[in-house]
Structures are given as C-alpha cells and as structure tokens.
Amino acid sequence: MMSHAILLDQLDTGAIWSASRGLARHEREYKEKLMACDRQRRNDLDGRGNLSEEALADFAEFFLRVCLDQVEFMEALVQPDRLRARLLLWAEEEIRRDALPPRADQILEALLYRGELPRGDVAGLLGVSDRHARRITASLIEHGIVSSPSTRAPLRLAFPAHLASRLMPGLFPERVGR
C-alpha cells in the first residue's frame, strides 16, 4: 500500500497505473520475497545490519521487474504512440460537425506535448484575437477535453469519461450493447 501511495503521488496517474495488479499476479513470489526481507543476515557479506541485505536487494529487483511489466502492460493498452492521432481525429470530427470551432485541434495538440498551456499563449499559438482564443478555449472546456482550475490558470488536457473508450480504446473498451 505504501508503494502504491508513493507512486500515485510521484507519478500523478490518478490511480490508472498501479504496481498492485502486478504484485497480485505474482502473489506467492511477492509474499515470499517480502518475508525474506525479515531474515537475519547470513554472514559478514550479507549487509551490515541485523537483516539480510541480499534479501532486500532481491525484493527490490523483483518489485522493479513487476513495475516494468505493468508499465509495458499499460503501454500496450493505452497505445500512447497512437493517442495523438485519436485525439486529433476526434477534434477534426467535432470541428466538421460545428461542435468545436476551427483550430481547436491545435490547442489539443499543444497540450498533448506541453502538458499545460498558459491561457495568454492561446491567441499567439493560433494567430487569432484574444476574444476568438477565449471562445475556442471555452468550447474545449465545455466539451470536457480541456480543464483549468480557474479562469486565469493554465489549460490542461483532460480525459473525460465520455471520451475514454475513444481516446484510450484498450484501457476503456466500448460498452457492450451500445
């Protein structure tokens, strides 16, 4: 649980990614290696304290292998190399149906690569007036694809639940019966 809490805090994944799934898949080995960390050291070559440093190193190596396995698993589900194409295709379709203003896709692409975008940069990025930039930004926020904690805070890409299966099809498949 401590590893989950630390990784959640440090990686800011919103609990989508977790080492817990991998540890559960290797429960027996996980428990054996964890219990081994409480063994007395075997000899003078097994650390300097009372407990086995060798067992602790073995557990750490196991834990990191599990984490890498889960990163690979999530990468296969999310397909981050194809996220840009899915995001821009959705935006293009919304622009064609007049649900989003033209050039909204440029903001989404910038957010995808930059992580966040100061509101004051939007007009320059798009080459439009401040008023037009605010209109495009408001539309993206209204669609839930962009978020911001306040009217002055930077913009961030959001992944609303209604677009989850569209943007991350492996992670959130379409509901059956739709």
Side-chain angles (χ1 to χ4, degrees), residues 111-152:
L111 288 170
L112 185 62
Y113 290 108
R114 295 182 191 182
E116 66 178 32
L117 182 66
R119 288 173 182 258
D121 292 0
V122 174
L125 174 74
L126 301 178
V128 298
S129 69
D130 287 340
R131 183 176 181 179
H132 191 67
R134 283 192 301 274
R135 188 174 74 75
I136 295 171
T137 300
S139 180
L140 289 167
I141 290 172
E142 186 179 307
H143 275 78
I145 193 75
V146 170
S147 67
S148 180
S150 74
T151 57
R152 299 205 182 276

Side-chain angles (χ1 to χ4, degrees), residues 28-39:
R28 183 189 52 75
E29 186 179 6
Y30 166 62
K31 287 179 179 179
E32 286 172 2
K33 291 188 181 296
L34 188 60
M35 285 189 294
C37 290
D38 287 333
R39 286 190 200 135

Side-chain angles (χ1 to χ4, degrees), residues 33-98:
K33 291 188 181 296
L34 188 60
M35 285 189 294
C37 290
D38 287 333
R39 286 190 200 135
Q40 295 294 317
R41 73 180 185 153
R42 293 184 335 205
N43 54 41
D44 289 343
L45 300 176
D46 191 12
R48 296 172 59 177
N50 290 331
L51 302 178
S52 173
E53 188 174 303
E54 183 181 325
L56 179 60
D58 188 42
F59 176 78
E61 184 180 323
F62 164 76
F63 184 80
L64 292 174
R65 253 192 344 267
V66 167
C67 286
L68 286 174
D69 174 61
Q70 290 308 292
V71 167
E72 291 167 1
F73 170 74
M74 290 301 292
E75 182 179 29
L77 284 178
V78 174
Q79 303 167 353
D81 55 326
R82 298 176 60 199
L83 177 59
R84 177 186 175 272
R86 291 189 302 265
L87 180 66
L88 295 179
L89 178 62
W90 172 82
E92 181 184 313
E93 290 171 0
E94 294 297 299
I95 291 168
R96 264 193 264 127
R97 347 183 267 117
D98 288 328

